[in-house]
Amino acid sequence: MSASTRKKVQRKCKIRGRVLKVEALDEILSFVSRFEGSDEDEAIDLLLDELELELESQKSTIIEKEPVHRVVSRLLEADAAVEESSDPCSAGGSAIRVVDAFLVPKFRYDPIRKQFYEHTGSLPIHGDASAKAALYRDRFLLLFQRLSRDQNFSKPAFESEFSHFGSCEISPIQSLVGQTGRKWVMGVISQLEDGHFYLEDLTASVEINLSNAKITTGFFSENTIVVAEGEMLASGIFQVLTCGFPPLEDRDKSLRQIAGHDFFGSGTLTKEETIRLADMEKKAVNDMFVILSDIWLDNEEAMGKLETVLDGFESVEVVPSLFVFMGNFSSHPCNLAFHAYSTLRSQFGKLGQLIAAHPRLTEHSKFLFIPGPDDAGPSTVLPRRALPKYLTEELQNHIPNAIFSSNPCRVKFYTQEIVFFRQDMLYRMRRSCLMPPSMEETDDPFQHLVATMTHQSHLCPLPLTVQPIIWNYDHCLYLYPTPHMIVLGDRSQQKAFKYTGITCFNTGSFSIDSTFVAYRPCSQEVELSAL
């Protein structure tokens, strides 16, 4: 290693206010020797950046050998993983990362410091009463911080005769008392008394009258967070004139705001890694995901149709990288009246045999299993744990690379973030509506559903009485920053819809309608398919 490189490393450390021990310097030089020319400078900067994060809590300015060794090992592992995924033989394998909902990190927004911080304590499944209050507060603050950056709702920095033109400053509900004229407020729709609806924010609540309100696209139900324009009546009721969801924010803008936090749960990437993976993603033209929902193992016709699908993909030139099988896996709900668990276990075993009978798929494809709302599990509460091991053991003997994950479940393909969710959301959202949806922009219920979920940044913005959610794990259902793709397993009609840059599609029910979806992540192309 040249003396110039040694001096360069020492100088860069000095600029950062750090002093290297001899052993630590040798460790850095050993790592840097793998690179040449401009790559050498990048390697030094990357290593020192990672080292700064490693030594964040350390008060001493002297760098020992141990932390350098840890960082170097981590970088070499990451490099090896990227090289492995660039190998065309293993591209389908290592390019796909599955994130279980229960492993998604939890972040909270601090409205005073105006920044997110990670929740580091334990998250019990059975939360106390404060956890339920925190669920609503965290949802509200998540959307409020997004709204506060929207130019239409932000307060002008300087007062001028034009400063209020087109600006709709949000008023706290507490400040409405005694006010006249039109005001903009943001709050959660709640029913505090039977038949009386209120709008609540973190300061107070006010009864609202929605009878003459002009609404935007989407389903408005209890629990949804809205931005409303209206005026206070003498009776103390807030007459809503226009009502809509908080505006969406561009994904890149959200990513800049969260400052390197990993909301998705798949780990953070440096700028260089992101560019490299994005380039590999563009080249992965042969990768394809096949997604099926409602695979009834106890239905001979459904299993026959599944065999036809597998036969078809076994014979194609390049087999799909990933098969996603979403529940329900039984035509009868696995509730207290269900007494056929041993039969269901053997049916999973038969499914394993069916897949194993297709050697090319078994060797080159991954198989992801996501439970449905009526599948076996502790309760119908969301998020749901993966299928019980008792049911899947025999299948795993035939298909060792099968992955069993939660519902919802997240998948990262190179840089692309995809969320899978198996729930009959359309029917339930329509039933919970407080008023008929607006038909001005669209009369397609699926488009209303997609608009509701994306604007609420939540997969299931239903009242907790309609769909219970584990209070401490509500963050697992967040859609913030917005993912590239939302995949719904819904029994309603098969549909695909691109909304403000987010692709969302519903697979339909395979056992009922014989529908499934083939998705090409490279071009984000959705092929709605049926037998």
Side-chain angles (χ1 to χ4, degrees):
M1 179 59 67
S2 69
S4 63
T5 306
R6 182 181 285 268
K7 282 180 182 173
K8 193 191 293 179
V9 172
Q10 287 173 321
R11 189 179 69 251
K12 284 179 183 265
C13 282
K14 198 173 180 182
I15 290 168
R16 293 164 187 256
R18 300 279 184 184
V19 179
L20 283 164
K21 281 204 166 184
V22 178
E23 301 86 9
L25 178 59
D26 290 342
E27 188 84 25
I28 291 174
L29 294 174
S30 167
F31 172 74
V32 173
S33 65
R34 299 161 182 268
F35 305 90
E36 291 176 4
S38 60
D39 286 350
E40 186 184 274
D41 275 2
E42 283 183 27
I44 296 169
D45 290 336
L46 176 63
L47 178 58
L48 294 180
D49 286 344
E50 292 293 316
L51 203 53
E52 282 297 321
L53 294 172
E54 182 79 21
L55 301 170
E56 216 167 15
S57 56
Q58 185 181 307
K59 290 178 183 173
S60 171
T61 57
I62 298 167
I63 301 177
E64 304 276 349
K65 182 185 175 181
E66 286 74 21
V68 177
H69 182 71
R70 282 199 298 274
V71 170
V72 167
S73 303
R74 211 159 56 224
L75 290 173
L76 291 176
E77 274 176 33
D79 197 48
V82 170
E83 276 175 25
E84 184 190 336
S85 61
S86 62
D87 174 10
C89 301
S90 66
S94 52
I96 298 165
R97 292 192 63 181
V98 178
V99 182
D100 190 281
F102 289 91
L103 300 177
V104 173
K106 181 170 187 168
F107 291 92
R108 286 197 158 132
Y109 183 72
D110 184 337
I112 296 165
R113 292 184 175 180
K114 291 188 166 50
Q115 64 185 39
F116 285 96
Y117 65 93
E118 189 168 358
H119 178 85
T120 50
S122 61
L123 286 172
I125 292 291
H126 302 289
D128 53 20
S130 64
K132 187 179 183 183
L135 176 151
Y136 290 110
R137 187 174 66 247
D138 291 346
R139 273 194 209 179
F140 182 85
L141 286 172
L142 182 78
L143 296 190
F144 186 77
Q145 61 86 30
R146 193 181 78 189
L147 179 83
S148 63
R149 288 192 296 278
D150 189 280
Q151 59 183 19
N152 296 315
F153 291 95
S154 52
K155 188 177 180 179
F158 302 101
E159 292 290 331
S160 74
E161 59 182 302
F162 302 111
S163 64
H164 294 289
F165 180 75
S167 170
C168 319
E169 193 188 333
I170 299 292
S171 303
I173 289 174
Q174 198 176 39
S175 71
L176 293 179
V177 181
Q179 292 272 12
T180 55
R182 291 193 178 191
K183 297 285 178 188
W184 285 89
V185 292
M186 176 177 170
V188 183
I189 300 176
S190 52
Q191 191 173 185
L192 300 181
E193 302 169 39
D194 279 351
H196 292 265
F197 291 97
Y198 288 77
L199 209 55
E200 289 184 87
D201 67 4
L202 300 180
T203 63
S205 63
V206 64
E207 190 174 345
I208 53 173
N209 181 354
L210 292 164
S211 57
N212 300 319
K214 185 176 184 293
I215 58 171
T216 57
T217 302
F219 294 126
F220 291 80
S221 66
E222 276 184 71
N223 265 34
T224 47
I225 295 168
V226 297
V227 175
E229 182 194 19
E231 49 194 352
M232 284 295 284
L233 304 177
S235 58
I237 293 173
F238 187 70
Q239 175 72 53
V240 178
L241 302 170
T242 55
C243 185
F245 295 135
L248 269 176
E249 182 175 74
D250 182 60
R251 174 182 162 82
D252 293 334
K253 194 174 179 183
S254 300
L255 288 171
R256 285 196 297 273
Q257 182 63 26
I258 61 176
H261 288 314
D262 175 27
F263 273 62
F264 196 74
S266 60
T268 51
L269 296 169
T270 62
K271 195 175 179 181
E272 293 79 8
E273 286 171 324
T274 306
I275 293 165
R276 194 167 165 185
L277 289 173
D279 191 44
M280 285 157 63
E281 187 181 312
K282 283 176 193 163
K283 292 174 184 170
V285 289
N286 290 325
D287 280 274
M288 182 167 74
F289 300 169
V290 177
I291 303 121
L292 306 93
S293 177
D294 269 351
I295 299 169
W296 294 344
L297 305 180
D298 56 348
N299 183 305
E300 280 186 31
E301 188 190 345
M303 295 308 285
K305 288 191 289 189
L306 180 62
E307 189 171 8
T308 307
V309 171
L310 294 176
D311 288 344
F313 284 112
E314 172 77 6
S315 59
V316 294
E317 190 181 343
V318 181
V319 297
S321 333
L322 178 70
F323 281 89
V324 182
F325 293 157
M326 295 198 269
N328 300 318
F329 291 102
S330 172
S331 57
H332 304 290
C334 296
N335 52 26
L336 294 172
F338 187 81
H339 300 297
Y341 288 105
S342 56
T343 311
L344 188 56
R345 175 188 164 96
S346 65
Q347 284 162 352
F348 268 106
K350 284 177 187 169
L351 174 61
Q353 288 174 350
L354 178 63
I355 296 169
H358 300 81
R360 290 183 68 224
L361 296 182
T362 311
E363 188 181 345
H364 300 293
S365 304
K366 282 191 173 189
F367 293 86
L368 172 61
F369 292 83
I370 298 169
D374 294 328
D375 277 322
S379 69
T380 56
V381 70
L382 287 174
R384 286 183 71 99
R385 292 269 183 204
L387 290 162
K389 197 174 179 183
Y390 168 77
L391 293 177
T392 60
E393 258 175 336
E394 287 187 25
L395 184 148
Q396 208 141 21
N397 290 338
H398 296 290
I399 315 293
N401 61 346
I403 305 161
F404 298 93
S405 194
S406 58
N407 182 27
C409 162
R410 301 176 177 200
V411 169
K412 189 149 190 175
F413 177 78
Y414 292 116
T415 62
Q416 194 172 143
E417 295 179 357
I418 306 166
V419 175
F420 291 90
F421 186 43
R422 171 64 187 95
Q423 189 68 266
D424 297 324
M425 283 299 297
L426 188 57
Y427 167 74
R428 303 179 84 184
M429 283 300 296
R430 293 179 82 174
R431 277 198 64 180
S432 302
C433 261
L434 302 176
M435 47 194 151
S438 163
M439 295 295 166
E440 263 186 41
E441 290 179 24
T442 177
D443 58 357
D444 185 346
F446 183 68
Q447 294 187 15
H448 282 284
L449 175 66
V450 174
T452 307
M453 289 165 75
T454 49
H455 281 274
Q456 294 292 309
S457 287
H458 202 278
L459 281 169
C460 190
L462 285 164
L464 295 185
T465 48
V466 176
Q467 175 54 64
I469 290 172
I470 303 172
W471 300 338
N472 279 324
Y473 287 86
D474 183 57
H475 66 283
C476 304
L477 283 85
Y478 284 1
L479 295 171
Y480 181 85
T482 49
H484 298 93
M485 167 73 69
I486 302 166
V487 181
L488 284 178
D490 195 298
R491 283 192 185 178
S492 61
Q493 186 186 349
Q494 186 185 46
K495 279 275 174 72
F497 177 50
K498 190 152 188 166
Y499 184 71
T500 62
I502 307 150
T503 309
C504 185
F505 64 80
N506 168 34
T507 59
S509 173
F510 182 70
S511 292
I512 298 170
D513 304 324
S514 310
T515 56
F516 63 96
V517 172
Y519 171 61
R520 295 190 180 276
C522 163
S523 56
Q524 294 195 11
E525 184 187 332
V526 179
E527 295 171 24
L528 300 179
S529 312
L531 285 181

Short mmCIF file of all heavy atoms in Angstrom, two decimals, residues 366-412:
data_model
loop_
_atom_site.label_atom_id
_atom_site.label_comp_id
_atom_site.label_asym_id
_atom_site.label_seq_id
_atom_site.Cartn_x
_atom_site.Cartn_y
_atom_site.Cartn_z
N LYS A 366 -39.01 -19.31 -5.88
CA LYS A 366 -39.30 -19.26 -4.45
C LYS A 366 -40.82 -19.33 -4.28
O LYS A 366 -41.57 -18.88 -5.16
CB LYS A 366 -38.78 -17.95 -3.86
CG LYS A 366 -37.28 -17.95 -3.61
CD LYS A 366 -36.87 -16.74 -2.78
CE LYS A 366 -35.40 -16.82 -2.39
NZ LYS A 366 -35.03 -15.78 -1.43
N PHE A 367 -41.25 -19.85 -3.14
CA PHE A 367 -42.69 -19.97 -2.86
C PHE A 367 -42.99 -19.27 -1.54
O PHE A 367 -42.45 -19.66 -0.50
CB PHE A 367 -43.11 -21.44 -2.82
CG PHE A 367 -43.01 -22.12 -4.16
CD1 PHE A 367 -41.81 -22.69 -4.57
CD2 PHE A 367 -44.09 -22.14 -5.03
CE1 PHE A 367 -41.69 -23.30 -5.81
CE2 PHE A 367 -43.98 -22.74 -6.28
CZ PHE A 367 -42.78 -23.32 -6.68
N LEU A 368 -43.83 -18.24 -1.60
CA LEU A 368 -44.18 -17.45 -0.42
C LEU A 368 -45.64 -17.71 -0.06
O LEU A 368 -46.52 -17.60 -0.92
CB LEU A 368 -43.94 -15.96 -0.72
CG LEU A 368 -44.43 -14.93 0.32
CD1 LEU A 368 -43.73 -15.12 1.66
CD2 LEU A 368 -44.19 -13.50 -0.19
N PHE A 369 -45.88 -18.04 1.21
CA PHE A 369 -47.24 -18.34 1.67
C PHE A 369 -47.68 -17.27 2.67
O PHE A 369 -47.00 -17.02 3.67
CB PHE A 369 -47.30 -19.72 2.33
CG PHE A 369 -47.09 -20.86 1.35
CD1 PHE A 369 -45.80 -21.25 0.98
CD2 PHE A 369 -48.17 -21.51 0.79
CE1 PHE A 369 -45.60 -22.28 0.06
CE2 PHE A 369 -47.98 -22.54 -0.13
CZ PHE A 369 -46.69 -22.93 -0.49
N ILE A 370 -48.84 -16.65 2.39
CA ILE A 370 -49.38 -15.59 3.25
C ILE A 370 -50.78 -16.02 3.69
O ILE A 370 -51.62 -16.35 2.85
CB ILE A 370 -49.45 -14.24 2.46
CG1 ILE A 370 -48.04 -13.80 2.04
CG2 ILE A 370 -50.13 -13.17 3.29
CD1 ILE A 370 -48.02 -12.64 1.06
N PRO A 371 -51.06 -16.01 5.01
CA PRO A 371 -52.38 -16.48 5.48
C PRO A 371 -53.51 -15.53 5.10
O PRO A 371 -53.30 -14.33 4.94
CB PRO A 371 -52.21 -16.55 7.00
CG PRO A 371 -51.11 -15.59 7.31
CD PRO A 371 -50.20 -15.61 6.12
N GLY A 372 -54.71 -16.08 4.97
CA GLY A 372 -55.91 -15.28 4.69
C GLY A 372 -56.69 -15.00 5.96
O GLY A 372 -56.34 -15.51 7.03
N PRO A 373 -57.77 -14.21 5.88
CA PRO A 373 -58.52 -13.83 7.07
C PRO A 373 -59.20 -15.00 7.79
O PRO A 373 -59.45 -14.92 8.99
CB PRO A 373 -59.56 -12.83 6.55
CG PRO A 373 -59.59 -13.00 5.07
CD PRO A 373 -58.27 -13.54 4.66
N ASP A 374 -59.51 -16.09 7.05
CA ASP A 374 -60.20 -17.23 7.68
C ASP A 374 -59.28 -18.42 7.91
O ASP A 374 -59.73 -19.53 8.19
CB ASP A 374 -61.38 -17.68 6.80
CG ASP A 374 -62.47 -16.62 6.74
OD1 ASP A 374 -62.63 -15.90 7.73
OD2 ASP A 374 -63.15 -16.52 5.70
N ASP A 375 -57.95 -18.21 7.79
CA ASP A 375 -57.02 -19.31 8.00
C ASP A 375 -56.76 -19.54 9.49
O ASP A 375 -57.09 -18.70 10.33
CB ASP A 375 -55.70 -19.04 7.27
CG ASP A 375 -55.77 -19.42 5.80
OD1 ASP A 375 -56.41 -20.44 5.49
OD2 ASP A 375 -55.20 -18.69 4.96
N ALA A 376 -56.12 -20.68 9.77
CA ALA A 376 -55.82 -21.05 11.16
C ALA A 376 -54.87 -20.03 11.77
O ALA A 376 -53.90 -19.60 11.14
CB ALA A 376 -55.19 -22.43 11.19
N GLY A 377 -55.16 -19.64 12.99
CA GLY A 377 -54.32 -18.66 13.69
C GLY A 377 -54.99 -18.28 14.99
O GLY A 377 -56.14 -18.67 15.25
N PRO A 378 -54.29 -17.51 15.84
CA PRO A 378 -54.85 -17.19 17.15
C PRO A 378 -56.14 -16.38 17.11
O PRO A 378 -57.00 -16.52 17.95
CB PRO A 378 -53.73 -16.40 17.84
CG PRO A 378 -52.79 -15.99 16.75
CD PRO A 378 -52.94 -16.96 15.65
N SER A 379 -56.29 -15.47 16.09
CA SER A 379 -57.51 -14.67 15.99
C SER A 379 -57.53 -13.99 14.63
O SER A 379 -56.60 -14.13 13.84
CB SER A 379 -57.55 -13.60 17.10
OG SER A 379 -56.54 -12.63 16.85
N THR A 380 -58.58 -13.22 14.37
CA THR A 380 -58.70 -12.52 13.08
C THR A 380 -58.06 -11.13 13.14
O THR A 380 -58.18 -10.35 12.19
CB THR A 380 -60.18 -12.36 12.69
OG1 THR A 380 -60.84 -11.67 13.75
CG2 THR A 380 -60.83 -13.70 12.47
N VAL A 381 -57.41 -10.82 14.23
CA VAL A 381 -56.80 -9.51 14.41
C VAL A 381 -55.62 -9.33 13.45
O VAL A 381 -54.96 -10.29 13.06
CB VAL A 381 -56.36 -9.33 15.89
CG1 VAL A 381 -55.20 -10.22 16.23
CG2 VAL A 381 -56.05 -7.90 16.23
N LEU A 382 -55.39 -8.07 13.01
CA LEU A 382 -54.25 -7.77 12.12
C LEU A 382 -53.13 -7.11 12.90
O LEU A 382 -53.39 -6.40 13.88
CB LEU A 382 -54.71 -6.82 11.01
CG LEU A 382 -55.60 -7.40 9.90
CD1 LEU A 382 -56.07 -6.28 8.97
CD2 LEU A 382 -54.88 -8.47 9.10
N PRO A 383 -51.85 -7.24 12.52
CA PRO A 383 -51.37 -8.18 11.49
C PRO A 383 -51.45 -9.62 11.97
O PRO A 383 -51.45 -9.88 13.17
CB PRO A 383 -49.91 -7.73 11.30
CG PRO A 383 -49.53 -7.06 12.58
CD PRO A 383 -50.77 -6.44 13.12
N ARG A 384 -51.52 -10.55 11.04
CA ARG A 384 -51.64 -11.98 11.36
C ARG A 384 -50.27 -12.66 11.28
O ARG A 384 -49.48 -12.38 10.38
CB ARG A 384 -52.56 -12.68 10.36
CG ARG A 384 -54.02 -12.39 10.54
CD ARG A 384 -54.82 -13.18 9.55
NE ARG A 384 -54.80 -14.60 9.87
CZ ARG A 384 -55.78 -15.23 10.51
NH1 ARG A 384 -56.86 -14.58 10.86
NH2 ARG A 384 -55.69 -16.51 10.77
N ARG A 385 -50.05 -13.55 12.20
CA ARG A 385 -48.81 -14.35 12.16
C ARG A 385 -48.82 -15.29 10.95
O ARG A 385 -49.87 -15.56 10.37
CB ARG A 385 -48.70 -15.21 13.44
CG ARG A 385 -48.48 -14.39 14.69
CD ARG A 385 -47.03 -14.22 14.95
NE ARG A 385 -46.77 -13.50 16.19
CZ ARG A 385 -45.66 -12.83 16.43
NH1 ARG A 385 -44.71 -12.77 15.51
NH2 ARG A 385 -45.47 -12.22 17.57
N ALA A 386 -47.64 -15.81 10.62
CA ALA A 386 -47.52 -16.79 9.53
C ALA A 386 -48.31 -18.05 9.88
O ALA A 386 -48.68 -18.26 11.05
CB ALA A 386 -46.05 -17.13 9.32
N LEU A 387 -48.58 -18.87 8.89
CA LEU A 387 -49.34 -20.12 9.12
C LEU A 387 -48.65 -20.98 10.18
O LEU A 387 -47.41 -21.05 10.22
CB LEU A 387 -49.43 -20.91 7.81
CG LEU A 387 -50.33 -20.30 6.73
CD1 LEU A 387 -49.99 -20.90 5.37
CD2 LEU A 387 -51.79 -20.55 7.06
N PRO A 388 -49.42 -21.63 11.07
CA PRO A 388 -48.81 -22.45 12.13
C PRO A 388 -47.92 -23.56 11.56
O PRO A 388 -48.24 -24.16 10.52
CB PRO A 388 -50.01 -23.06 12.85
CG PRO A 388 -51.17 -22.19 12.49
CD PRO A 388 -50.89 -21.64 11.13
N LYS A 389 -46.82 -23.83 12.24
CA LYS A 389 -45.84 -24.81 11.76
C LYS A 389 -46.45 -26.20 11.65
O LYS A 389 -46.09 -26.98 10.75
CB LYS A 389 -44.64 -24.83 12.72
CG LYS A 389 -43.41 -25.47 12.10
CD LYS A 389 -42.21 -25.37 13.00
CE LYS A 389 -41.01 -26.06 12.36
NZ LYS A 389 -39.83 -26.05 13.23
N TYR A 390 -47.38 -26.51 12.54
CA TYR A 390 -48.02 -27.83 12.52
C TYR A 390 -48.63 -28.10 11.14
O TYR A 390 -48.54 -29.22 10.62
CB TYR A 390 -49.11 -27.89 13.60
CG TYR A 390 -50.03 -29.08 13.48
CD1 TYR A 390 -49.61 -30.36 13.88
CD2 TYR A 390 -51.31 -28.97 12.93
CE1 TYR A 390 -50.44 -31.46 13.75
CE2 TYR A 390 -52.14 -30.06 12.79
CZ TYR A 390 -51.70 -31.31 13.20
OH TYR A 390 -52.51 -32.40 13.06
N LEU A 391 -49.24 -27.08 10.53
CA LEU A 391 -49.91 -27.27 9.23
C LEU A 391 -48.93 -27.38 8.08
O LEU A 391 -49.18 -28.05 7.10
CB LEU A 391 -50.87 -26.10 8.96
CG LEU A 391 -52.10 -25.96 9.87
CD1 LEU A 391 -52.88 -24.72 9.49
CD2 LEU A 391 -52.99 -27.19 9.79
N THR A 392 -47.79 -26.70 8.20
CA THR A 392 -46.90 -26.54 7.03
C THR A 392 -45.70 -27.48 7.02
O THR A 392 -44.93 -27.49 6.06
CB THR A 392 -46.40 -25.10 6.96
OG1 THR A 392 -45.67 -24.79 8.16
CG2 THR A 392 -47.55 -24.11 6.81
N GLU A 393 -45.52 -28.27 8.09
CA GLU A 393 -44.32 -29.13 8.20
C GLU A 393 -44.16 -30.07 7.02
O GLU A 393 -43.07 -30.18 6.44
CB GLU A 393 -44.38 -29.93 9.50
CG GLU A 393 -43.49 -29.35 10.58
CD GLU A 393 -43.64 -30.10 11.91
OE1 GLU A 393 -44.68 -30.73 12.16
OE2 GLU A 393 -42.68 -30.04 12.68
N GLU A 394 -45.25 -30.75 6.65
CA GLU A 394 -45.16 -31.75 5.56
C GLU A 394 -44.84 -31.06 4.23
O GLU A 394 -44.06 -31.58 3.43
CB GLU A 394 -46.48 -32.52 5.45
CG GLU A 394 -46.69 -33.51 6.59
CD GLU A 394 -47.92 -34.39 6.37
OE1 GLU A 394 -48.33 -34.58 5.20
OE2 GLU A 394 -48.48 -34.87 7.38
N LEU A 395 -45.42 -29.86 4.00
CA LEU A 395 -45.13 -29.12 2.77
C LEU A 395 -43.65 -28.76 2.72
O LEU A 395 -43.00 -28.89 1.68
CB LEU A 395 -46.00 -27.86 2.71
CG LEU A 395 -45.89 -27.01 1.43
CD1 LEU A 395 -47.23 -26.35 1.12
CD2 LEU A 395 -44.83 -25.93 1.52
N GLN A 396 -43.11 -28.33 3.88
CA GLN A 396 -41.72 -27.89 3.91
C GLN A 396 -40.74 -29.05 3.65
O GLN A 396 -39.64 -28.83 3.16
CB GLN A 396 -41.41 -27.22 5.25
CG GLN A 396 -40.30 -26.19 5.15
CD GLN A 396 -40.56 -24.96 6.00
OE1 GLN A 396 -41.33 -25.00 6.94
NE2 GLN A 396 -39.91 -23.86 5.66
N ASN A 397 -41.16 -30.27 3.96
CA ASN A 397 -40.32 -31.44 3.67
C ASN A 397 -40.13 -31.60 2.15
O ASN A 397 -39.07 -32.02 1.69
CB ASN A 397 -40.96 -32.72 4.23
CG ASN A 397 -40.92 -32.73 5.75
OD1 ASN A 397 -40.10 -32.03 6.35
ND2 ASN A 397 -41.80 -33.50 6.38
N HIS A 398 -41.18 -31.24 1.39
CA HIS A 398 -41.10 -31.35 -0.07
C HIS A 398 -40.47 -30.11 -0.70
O HIS A 398 -39.75 -30.21 -1.69
CB HIS A 398 -42.51 -31.54 -0.68
CG HIS A 398 -43.18 -32.81 -0.26
ND1 HIS A 398 -42.76 -34.05 -0.69
CD2 HIS A 398 -44.23 -33.05 0.57
CE1 HIS A 398 -43.52 -34.99 -0.15
NE2 HIS A 398 -44.44 -34.41 0.61
N ILE A 399 -40.76 -28.93 -0.12
CA ILE A 399 -40.27 -27.65 -0.68
C ILE A 399 -39.46 -26.92 0.40
O ILE A 399 -39.99 -26.07 1.13
CB ILE A 399 -41.45 -26.73 -1.15
CG1 ILE A 399 -42.48 -27.53 -1.94
CG2 ILE A 399 -40.94 -25.54 -1.94
CD1 ILE A 399 -41.99 -28.04 -3.28
N PRO A 400 -38.17 -27.25 0.54
CA PRO A 400 -37.37 -26.63 1.62
C PRO A 400 -37.25 -25.11 1.50
O PRO A 400 -37.08 -24.42 2.51
CB PRO A 400 -35.99 -27.29 1.47
CG PRO A 400 -36.21 -28.49 0.60
CD PRO A 400 -37.38 -28.16 -0.28
N ASN A 401 -37.35 -24.56 0.26
CA ASN A 401 -37.18 -23.11 0.12
C ASN A 401 -38.51 -22.34 0.21
O ASN A 401 -38.59 -21.18 -0.19
CB ASN A 401 -36.47 -22.77 -1.22
CG ASN A 401 -37.25 -23.24 -2.43
OD1 ASN A 401 -38.17 -24.04 -2.30
ND2 ASN A 401 -36.91 -22.74 -3.61
N ALA A 402 -39.57 -22.99 0.73
CA ALA A 402 -40.85 -22.30 0.94
C ALA A 402 -40.70 -21.30 2.08
O ALA A 402 -40.02 -21.56 3.07
CB ALA A 402 -41.94 -23.31 1.27
N ILE A 403 -41.32 -20.12 1.92
CA ILE A 403 -41.25 -19.06 2.94
C ILE A 403 -42.66 -18.84 3.47
O ILE A 403 -43.61 -18.66 2.69
CB ILE A 403 -40.72 -17.74 2.33
CG1 ILE A 403 -39.36 -17.97 1.65
CG2 ILE A 403 -40.60 -16.65 3.39
CD1 ILE A 403 -38.99 -16.88 0.66
N PHE A 404 -42.80 -18.84 4.79
CA PHE A 404 -44.11 -18.59 5.42
C PHE A 404 -44.02 -17.27 6.15
O PHE A 404 -43.21 -17.11 7.07
CB PHE A 404 -44.47 -19.74 6.37
CG PHE A 404 -44.60 -21.06 5.65
CD1 PHE A 404 -43.51 -21.92 5.55
CD2 PHE A 404 -45.78 -21.41 5.03
CE1 PHE A 404 -43.60 -23.11 4.85
CE2 PHE A 404 -45.88 -22.61 4.33
CZ PHE A 404 -44.79 -23.46 4.24
N SER A 405 -44.86 -16.32 5.71
CA SER A 405 -44.76 -14.99 6.30
C SER A 405 -46.12 -14.52 6.81
O SER A 405 -47.12 -15.23 6.73
CB SER A 405 -44.21 -14.00 5.26
OG SER A 405 -43.82 -12.80 5.89
N SER A 406 -46.12 -13.30 7.35
CA SER A 406 -47.30 -12.72 7.99
C SER A 406 -48.25 -12.13 6.95
O SER A 406 -47.96 -12.07 5.77
CB SER A 406 -46.85 -11.61 8.94
OG SER A 406 -46.13 -10.63 8.18
N ASN A 407 -49.40 -11.67 7.40
CA ASN A 407 -50.34 -10.91 6.59
C ASN A 407 -50.63 -9.59 7.33
O ASN A 407 -51.13 -9.65 8.43
CB ASN A 407 -51.64 -11.69 6.40
CG ASN A 407 -52.63 -10.95 5.51
OD1 ASN A 407 -52.24 -10.16 4.66
ND2 ASN A 407 -53.91 -11.17 5.73
N PRO A 408 -50.27 -8.42 6.79
CA PRO A 408 -49.60 -8.18 5.50
C PRO A 408 -48.14 -8.61 5.53
O PRO A 408 -47.60 -8.91 6.59
CB PRO A 408 -49.74 -6.67 5.33
CG PRO A 408 -49.78 -6.14 6.72
CD PRO A 408 -50.50 -7.16 7.53
N CYS A 409 -47.54 -8.61 4.35
CA CYS A 409 -46.14 -9.01 4.21
C CYS A 409 -45.48 -8.07 3.21
O CYS A 409 -46.14 -7.57 2.30
CB CYS A 409 -46.14 -10.46 3.70
SG CYS A 409 -44.61 -10.99 2.98
N ARG A 410 -44.20 -7.82 3.41
CA ARG A 410 -43.48 -6.90 2.52
C ARG A 410 -42.37 -7.65 1.78
O ARG A 410 -41.72 -8.51 2.36
CB ARG A 410 -42.86 -5.75 3.33
CG ARG A 410 -43.91 -4.96 4.10
CD ARG A 410 -43.29 -3.88 4.97
NE ARG A 410 -44.33 -3.10 5.63
CZ ARG A 410 -44.16 -1.89 6.13
NH1 ARG A 410 -42.97 -1.32 6.07
NH2 ARG A 410 -45.14 -1.23 6.69
N VAL A 411 -42.19 -7.30 0.53
CA VAL A 411 -41.14 -7.92 -0.29
C VAL A 411 -40.34 -6.81 -0.96
O VAL A 411 -40.92 -5.88 -1.53
CB VAL A 411 -41.75 -8.86 -1.36
CG1 VAL A 411 -40.69 -9.29 -2.36
CG2 VAL A 411 -42.37 -10.09 -0.69
N LYS A 412 -39.02 -6.93 -0.88
CA LYS A 412 -38.16 -5.97 -1.58
C LYS A 412 -37.46 -6.69 -2.72
O LYS A 412 -36.81 -7.71 -2.50
CB LYS A 412 -37.13 -5.36 -0.62
CG LYS A 412 -36.37 -4.20 -1.26
CD LYS A 412 -35.95 -3.17 -0.23
CE LYS A 412 -35.42 -1.91 -0.88
NZ LYS A 412 -35.13 -0.87 0.07
#
